């Protein structure tokens, strides 16, 4: 895999979009501090980014199943950055929600088509898709650093600076589309006639993804505030905790691709849920700086199965790869965003520790459902796509 290969450029572009997903959670403490929002109102910002995305992303998936829409990559990247860039300039709460929702729409438009093209560019490889997912994790990890360096230093009026990665991502999408178009690959994967879908397994997998989403987004929205409460003498510990939560995903998603080669996607996903169960409990109840260690372990546990569940969804619905990508990638963030306001309401009423303790139930449910699934047989690489140099 070279720096100029399509999968590498797609991974970098993925980072440039997911930095805006990570930026939503990273902005929450600054909205709380600068505008004095309650936890429930701050969680509403996360909901605004997620709610529209949760509806729109599967719809974009349906569209890409009918017709390849590669132009969505640069257009959606710009839209996702524009929304975040304007969010800090709007002093009215309702307008802030609108701009964050616009960013969520851009994210929704980007993921189904980019995942389809990544499947083509990687020729259906677990490892190739893991690298594509890792790009998104890098974006998440960079988000709190970018937000902390700009908004944390200069205030919410500087959110347009946070939007600059959109220009990079959009410019990188263009050569990828040209490369795939020259090879005749850009439209591959839009026609899955004759392939059998396993809808029941896909729906069970959807439940698993929902549990992961609630755990990840719930922690992402509040771990910065929780770390500041638990470690009050540590300057910037909130940003550090959130960065660790996102940064561990880089390790986790890469490991997932390699682990799946040996033990299979379902088995690796189930084991990861057990690790996540212990790690979230550690974040909530173990005192002192060990919280940061458990945050890293939680991140790895949550991200090892991330790309594996995307390819599982695509293999459970081989005739509707775009739809599968839209739902699996969309639910990875959006369902958690919808549940997060409930966690915020509980935190306002009973404290953050009790609110975050409810997240321990998520990997338990995920593990139970995974025990009912099996790895589907994969089609030969030749049927996934024509040769793409990666």
């Amino acid at each position: 895999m070279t720096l100029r290969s399509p999968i590498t450029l797609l991974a970098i572009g993925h980072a440039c979009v997911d930095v805006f997903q990570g930026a939503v959670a990273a902005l929450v403490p600054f909205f709380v501090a600068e505008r004095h929002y309650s936890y429930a109102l701050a969680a509403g910002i996360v909901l605004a980014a997620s709610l529209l995305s949760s509806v729109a992303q599967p719809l974009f998936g349906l569209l890409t199943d009918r017709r390849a829409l590669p132009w969505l990559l640069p257009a959606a990247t710009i839209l996702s950055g524009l929304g975040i860039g304007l969010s800090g300039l709007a002093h009215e709460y309702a307008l802030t929600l609108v701009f964050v929702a616009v960013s969520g729409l851009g994210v929704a438009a980007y993921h189904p088509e980019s995942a389809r093209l990544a499947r083509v560019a990687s020729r259906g490889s677990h490892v190739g898709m893991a690298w594509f997912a890792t790009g998104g994790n890098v974006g998440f990890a960079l988000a709190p650093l970018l937000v902390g360096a700009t908004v944390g230093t200069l205030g919410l009026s500087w959110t347009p600076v946070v939007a600059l990665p959109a220009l990079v991502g959009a410019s990188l999408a263009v050569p990828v589309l040209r490369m795939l178009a020259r090879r005749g690959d850009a439209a591959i994967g839009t026609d899955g006639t004759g392939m059998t879908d396993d809808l029941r397994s896909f729906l069970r997998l959807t439940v698993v993804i929902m549990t992961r989403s609630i755990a990840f987004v719930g922690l992402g929205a509040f771990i910065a505030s929780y770390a500041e409460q638990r470690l009050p003498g540590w300057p910037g510990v909130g940003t550090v905790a959130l960065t660790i939560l996102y940064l561990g995903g880089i390790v986790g998603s890469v490991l997932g691709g390699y682990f799946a080669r040996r033990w299979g996607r379902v088995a690796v996903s189930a084991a990861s849920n057990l690790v996540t169960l212990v790690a979230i409990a550690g974040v909530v109840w173990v005192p002192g700086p060990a919280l940061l260690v458990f945050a890293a372990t939680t991140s790895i546990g949550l991200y090892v199965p991330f790309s594996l569940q995307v390819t599982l969804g695509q293999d459970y619905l081989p005739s509707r790869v775009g739809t599968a990508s839209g739902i699996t990638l969309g639910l990875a963030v959006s369902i958690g965003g919808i549940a997060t306001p409930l966690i915020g309401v509980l935190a306002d009423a009973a404290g953050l520790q009790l609110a975050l303790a409810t997240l321990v139930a998520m990997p338990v449910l995920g593990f139970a459902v995974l025990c009912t699934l099996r790895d589907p047989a994969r089609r030969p690489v030749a049927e996934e796509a024509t040769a793409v140099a990666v």
Side-chain angles (χ1 to χ4, degrees):
M1 188 167 68
T2 67
L3 288 175
R4 294 177 59 84
S5 70
I7 197 66
T8 302
L9 295 179
L10 282 168
I12 297 171
H14 194 188
C16 292
V17 170
D18 276 10
V19 74
F20 303 122
Q21 291 201 81
V24 175
L27 284 167
V28 164
F30 300 106
F31 281 114
V32 170
E34 192 171 320
R35 297 188 182 167
H36 310 293
Y37 291 160
S38 66
Y39 287 129
L41 284 178
I45 295 172
V46 180
L47 174 63
S50 304
L51 189 57
L52 183 59
S53 181
S54 66
V55 176
Q57 200 144 268
L59 295 178
F60 280 111
L62 285 168
L63 287 174
T64 59
D65 280 334
R66 292 174 178 272
R67 182 179 180 181
L69 300 171
W71 57 266
L72 276 177
L73 268 65
T77 302
I78 293 294
L79 189 63
S80 59
L82 183 65
I84 289 297
L86 294 174
S87 65
L89 303 180
H91 292 282
E92 299 82 5
Y93 181 72
L95 200 53
T96 300
L97 296 183
V98 169
F99 287 136
V100 171
V102 166
S103 180
L105 182 62
V107 169
Y110 176 85
H111 278 103
E113 183 68 359
S114 66
R116 185 185 68 80
L117 290 175
R119 183 179 175 92
V120 171
S122 66
R123 303 176 69 193
S125 160
H126 295 325
V127 175
M129 284 297 291
W131 280 111
F132 170 71
T134 298
N137 302 338
V138 170
F140 265 108
L142 291 177
L145 299 178
L146 180 57
V147 170
T150 53
V151 177
T153 306
L154 301 166
L156 285 168
S157 61
W158 284 79
T159 51
V161 175
V162 181
L164 292 178
L167 301 177
V168 178
S171 65
L172 289 177
V174 175
V176 172
L177 300 182
R178 285 176 178 168
M179 280 186 239
L180 294 178
R182 278 199 302 268
R183 294 166 178 155
D185 294 334
I188 289 176
T190 57
D191 182 12
T193 357
M195 302 173 213
T196 305
D197 292 335
D198 184 353
L199 186 57
R200 288 185 179 180
S201 293
F202 182 79
L203 291 176
R204 289 180 197 149
L205 177 68
T206 299
V207 173
V208 175
I209 293 171
M210 288 168 66
T211 64
R212 179 202 171 275
S213 174
I214 292 169
F216 177 71
V217 181
L219 275 175
F222 296 114
I223 196 170
S225 299
Y226 188 62
E228 288 167 1
Q229 287 182 11
R230 297 290 299 274
L231 300 166
W234 293 43
V237 70
T239 298
V240 171
L242 186 59
T243 303
I244 288 173
L245 182 68
Y246 291 162
L247 202 59
I250 298 172
V251 178
S253 57
V254 173
L255 289 177
Y258 289 99
F259 288 165
R261 279 180 167 178
R262 181 163 185 178
W263 292 295
R265 290 169 289 179
V266 172
V268 169
S269 296
S272 299
N273 272 258
L274 296 180
V275 171
T276 303
L277 164 63
V278 175
I280 293 177
V283 168
V284 175
W285 287 299
V286 175
L291 178 149
L292 301 177
V293 176
F294 282 110
T297 309
T298 300
S299 179
I300 293 171
L302 287 169
Y303 266 104
V304 160
F306 178 61
S307 66
L308 308 183
Q309 290 169 0
V310 173
T311 60
L312 271 173
Q314 291 173 336
D315 287 343
Y316 285 140
L317 294 184
S319 73
R320 290 174 280 181
V321 168
T323 302
S325 301
I327 292 174
T328 53
L329 286 167
L331 291 177
V333 173
S334 58
I335 291 298
I338 293 169
T340 295
L342 300 178
I343 300 171
V345 169
L346 183 58
D348 284 330
L352 265 179
Q353 186 175 49
L354 179 60
L356 294 179
T358 62
L359 298 177
V360 173
M362 294 299 104
V364 176
L365 178 57
F367 176 80
V369 177
L370 280 163
C371 289
T372 70
L373 292 175
R374 61 175 181 80
D375 268 84
R378 306 208 80 205
R379 285 172 289 151
V381 168
E383 294 180 25
E384 294 283 349
T386 56
V388 178
V390 297

